[in-house]
Amino acid sequence: MKDGDTQVTCRYCTDAGDIGEKVADLEVSRLWLTKDQTYRGRCILSLKEHKTEFFQLEGEELQAFARDMAKASKALYKAFSPGKINYAAFGDTYPHLHFHLVPKYPDGKSWGSAFELPLSNDKLASKEELAALVKEIQKHL
Ligand SMILES: [Zn+2]
């Protein structure tokens, strides 16, 4: 984020830590494991630079973001063997470009429908659980 930018409180620019645990710095993005683990392995992939729309990515940055997305989702697939990974980008209230990478399981919550976006306070993983999951993902990156 540049000086003078009005997005001074952007959580994805400030690494505020309220997103979850950082898993890795990739080529042009960062991978976070969310504190809410209702869906085991749920992550967020955020662009390092502050941009708000997917169409603002061009050339090498666009290709690198695609590689990061593929690498991160492959690692989640290998680590947790989900039935499917869901990919979603919203950003109305946090417009910094980021994608939700949400492993879904045939016998698990929301299978066959959209995953639930709001973080559930009663499903927050402990620091120890998050650390173990981060290690599992990092093994496959
Ligand atoms: Zn930002």
Side-chain angles (χ1 to χ4, degrees), residues 10 12-13 50 96:
C10 178
Y12 296 103
C13 285
H50 186 89
H96 185 125

Short mmCIF file of all heavy atoms in Angstrom, two decimals, residues 10 12-13 50 96, ligand 1:
data_model
loop_
_atom_site.label_atom_id
_atom_site.label_comp_id
_atom_site.label_asym_id
_atom_site.label_seq_id
_atom_site.Cartn_x
_atom_site.Cartn_y
_atom_site.Cartn_z
N CYS A 10 -6.54 -1.58 5.60
CA CYS A 10 -6.68 -2.82 4.83
C CYS A 10 -5.98 -3.97 5.54
O CYS A 10 -4.77 -3.96 5.72
CB CYS A 10 -6.11 -2.64 3.43
SG CYS A 10 -6.19 -4.15 2.46
N TYR A 12 -5.33 -6.91 4.55
CA TYR A 12 -4.43 -7.70 3.72
C TYR A 12 -3.13 -6.96 3.41
O TYR A 12 -2.16 -7.55 2.98
CB TYR A 12 -5.12 -8.12 2.42
CG TYR A 12 -6.29 -9.02 2.69
CD1 TYR A 12 -7.59 -8.55 2.62
CD2 TYR A 12 -6.09 -10.35 3.06
CE1 TYR A 12 -8.67 -9.38 2.89
CE2 TYR A 12 -7.16 -11.18 3.34
CZ TYR A 12 -8.44 -10.69 3.25
OH TYR A 12 -9.49 -11.51 3.53
N CYS A 13 -3.11 -5.64 3.61
CA CYS A 13 -1.89 -4.87 3.41
C CYS A 13 -1.08 -4.77 4.70
O CYS A 13 0.13 -4.62 4.67
CB CYS A 13 -2.21 -3.46 2.93
SG CYS A 13 -2.71 -3.41 1.20
N HIS A 50 -1.77 -4.13 -3.21
CA HIS A 50 -3.17 -3.73 -3.02
C HIS A 50 -3.83 -3.44 -4.36
O HIS A 50 -3.61 -2.39 -4.96
CB HIS A 50 -3.28 -2.52 -2.11
CG HIS A 50 -4.72 -2.18 -1.79
ND1 HIS A 50 -5.39 -2.73 -0.73
CD2 HIS A 50 -5.61 -1.40 -2.44
CE1 HIS A 50 -6.64 -2.28 -0.73
NE2 HIS A 50 -6.79 -1.47 -1.75
N HIS A 96 -9.56 -5.62 -1.00
CA HIS A 96 -8.25 -6.10 -1.45
C HIS A 96 -8.44 -7.49 -2.08
O HIS A 96 -9.07 -8.36 -1.48
CB HIS A 96 -7.31 -6.17 -0.24
CG HIS A 96 -5.90 -6.54 -0.54
ND1 HIS A 96 -4.83 -5.78 -0.17
CD2 HIS A 96 -5.38 -7.63 -1.19
CE1 HIS A 96 -3.71 -6.37 -0.56
NE2 HIS A 96 -4.03 -7.51 -1.18
ZN ZN B 1 -4.83 -3.94 0.76
#
